[in-house]
Every structure is written in C-alpha cells, then in structure tokens.
Amino acid sequence: MGLITFLGTGTSHGIPMIGCDCPVCVSSNPYNKRFRSSVLVETDSVRIVIDTPPEFRLQVLRAGIRSIDAVFITHSHADHIMGFDDLRLLSRSVEGGLPCYASSSTAADLRRAFQYVIRGASKGATVPNVRIIDMNGPITVCGETVIPIPVRHGTEEILGFRIGKMAYITDCSYIPESSYPLLDDLDVLVLNALRFRSHDNHFTVSQALDEVRRIRPNAAYFTHIAHEVDHDTVSADLPDNVHLAYDGLQVAFAEEGTR
Ligand SMILES: [Zn+2]
Ligand SMILES: [Zn+2]
Ligand SMILES: [Zn+2]
C-alpha cells in the first residue's frame, strides 16, 4: 500500500484569508484551516513531497517528516514553490543532492527564482542541497515510477503526477484528451476543486465532479480549496466516494498496476 498525507489543502491565499471575516475564515472548525496545497507520498520504497508551499517548514514539522527521497513540483506559482529554501535540512545529508523534478519550464523558473541555490553556498551560508532535474517522461526514484500527467492551468501547461494507483492533480482547469489514459484504473484521484463560481485557471466543485465521473477512480479527494467552501456542509453533499481533503488527512492507496 501507499500512503498520501495532505500537508496543505488551501488555495493560493491559504485559509483563513488575510482580512476576511467570512464564516469559513472565522470558523473554529480545524477542517476549514488550510495551508497552501502540498502532499507527502510514501510507498514501501520511497518518500516524496509534491510542491513546497510557503508553509512548507510548518507542514514538515506538523507531519514529523525527517527525510525524503525526492521532490516533485507541479508548477512555479508562488503558492507551490515559496517554501523551497526549507529543503535545506531535508537535503543536507543526501549524497549528490536531493533530486527535484519538474517540467522544463518549471525547472527553468526554479533555477531563476532560486539562483543562489544554483550558484552554491557562499562562506557561512547554507543553501538547499538539491539537483533540479527536467522531467520529460516517467522517472524512477528508489524503485518507484512517477508518471508526469500534463494538464492545463489556464493558459499554462503544468504537471500532475501518478504513483501506483494514485494520481495527484492540482491547479487544473482542463485535462487534455491525451492525459486521460494516464488516469486509467486509479484507486485514489486527488484533484483541485476551488469553489462553486467559475474560474479561468481552476476546476470548480462541479467541474471536478464531472472529471471524477469520467475518470472513475475508486475514491477522489478534492484539494486547493477556497474560502467559499465550508468543509462540513460541502462534504455532506458530495457522492459517497468523493471527499474534501483537509490538512493532515492520510489516505492509503493501492500500488499494484503501476505502469
Ligand atoms: Zn495553486
Ligand atoms: Zn473568507
Ligand atoms: Zn497555480
């Protein structure tokens, strides 16, 4: 079995939003408190993180993560990469550098945003001991295959990732026809569902439900959630096999059938 741990499930603002007095932002329900979106994925052979959001340090501490084998980055928006520097302690003892995989365009953005990492540490300073690697197809880390899933995020092409029978897709507004075969026979699908009103760059809850009906995973978990979505009321209306993810949630998934 594999295990996915949701380190964060919020949209780019995080929930609560700065300066907002709406019922969700002022709610005392812990399920309505959302760090920016990220997950830890563990199998028997590998432990990886997908995205390093601004709260990455707090997420790592909260989940008790002490080591990882690789990092995968979906795209270079701030809410997905701005905790990258906090890879310092997780990467320092990794021989040859902790591998960080991203599409070529995201990798180029990372190299630009974190130029000082590429240049290397100056005297007395520490920088993440990472290797930023362009991902142009499936790669194998510690015996586990990770398959990139190209999706659209507004006008940009970004990546989701499949490991075993689990796929993680965030910040998606459109799945190209050619990516559906990569989503066959899933045990767990994680998919973004921002809110109810339409948005150019993200699926709404109803669009995400349409995708779940087409992809037909055993179970689906929605993430990258905005403050319009109250966890308890919206959860009550979802189909039995569809759930709102929340920070700290852990979900097991089947590994057999990895291609
Ligand atoms: Zn985002
Ligand atoms: Zn609010
Ligand atoms: Zn984004």
Side-chain angles (χ1 to χ4, degrees), residues 75 77 79-80 153 158 171 202 224:
H75 66 302
H77 285 164
D79 55 321
H80 297 262
H153 179 24
I158 68 168
D171 290 56
H202 294 274
H224 209 283

Side-chain angles (χ1 to χ4, degrees), residues 2 49 54 99 144 170 221 235 245:
V49 155
E144 199 74 56
T170 189
Y221 291 82
S235 293

Side-chain angles (χ1 to χ4, degrees), residues 133-156:
I133 301 166
D134 293 28
M135 186 181 191
N136 300 310
I139 62 103
T140 301
V141 192
C142 303
E144 199 74 56
T145 301
V146 181
I147 300 167
I149 304 162
V151 298
R152 305 291 302 203
H153 179 24
T155 57
E156 291 183 44

Side-chain angles (χ1 to χ4, degrees), residues 17 20-22 24-25 227:
M17 278 171 59
C20 186
D21 299 317
C22 82
V24 171
C25 287
H227 68 152

